[in-house]
Amino acid sequence: MPETLGTDRTSPVRIAPSILSADLLRLGEEIEDISTADFIHVDVMDGVWVPHLTFGPDVIMASRRASSLPVDCHLMVEDPAPIALQAAEAGARYVSFHIEACPLAHRLAQELRAKGAHPAIALNPATPVSALEEIAQYVDMVVVMGVEPGFSGQAFIPRTVGKVRELAELRDARALDFLIEVDGGVSLENAGALAEAGTDVFVAGSFVFGASDRAAAIASLRAAAEAGY
Ligand code: DX5
Ligand code: ZN
């Protein structure tokens, strides 16, 4: 299907529900249920870099067939380069890989761009924003983890808000235009503060898929974030 950026194009807030929290036996219906979001967040975990084993490029392809929403693919794997390129070939719009797992980040960003995907770099809670100084200008999105990668449903680490603010300052100081995404523990309690600090994209797994009315959950998260800008 042709891609859009969700139905609410006037909102500066982008919501990316993580299908890690979806009912996987009903994935098609679950994806239909989030049509008012802006991205489908696909968490690729290899059972090595993080303990959990999840999806691969086939699920990205299936998601692309099922929905016009672009796929935001988040790689939590020991060796991100080969799988990142497969994710791009499978049609992911953004492909994020962790700076902690990728010493050749500049090369991978270029290779992803050559495949038509937007390169994105992710930061674990223990990694300072300064780790991105030399790569920030080569990526289109930075993912600030609000939890340790590996599982949905974990408690948000409050320091994440300060890291987003530091990153937004770096973006302004260097006149860069990457999106700032926060992933992990996002909810109505922190969306306003995250937006105020500079977050553009809000990943939400358990908050969206744990709700019986997903459209209402997406709308409430969007409103909470908009109130913070
Ligand atoms: C965690 C994943 C997240 C997770 C978010 O490693 O990267 O995308 O699904 O889930 P919640 O929103 O429940 O923390
Ligand atoms: Zn994720």
Side-chain angles (χ1 to χ4, degrees), residues 20 41 43 45 49-52 74-76 98 100 122-127 143-158 160 163 182-186:
L20 189 57
H41 185 84
D43 286 306
M45 305 186 189
W49 198 68
V50 290
H52 202 177
H74 176 197
L75 300 176
M76 288 155 277
H98 276 260
E100 303 87 357
L123 276 187
N124 277 341
T127 306
V143 184
V144 181
M145 294 303 296
V147 300
E148 292 285 17
F151 300 97
S152 59
Q154 301 179 77
F156 181 74
I157 298 170
T160 309
K163 285 178 75 176
V182 173
D183 183 9
V186 171

Side-chain angles (χ1 to χ4, degrees), residues 173-220:
R174 307 240 315 252
L176 298 175
D177 60 0
F178 55 79
L179 294 172
I180 299 178
E181 175 174 281
V182 173
D183 183 9
V186 171
S187 71
L188 296 183
E189 276 79 70
N190 51 40
L194 287 170
E196 191 274 329
T199 306
D200 306 292
V201 186
F202 298 76
V203 177
S206 45
F207 177 78
V208 168
F209 285 107
S212 53
D213 185 340
R214 279 68 182 274
I218 290 165
S220 66

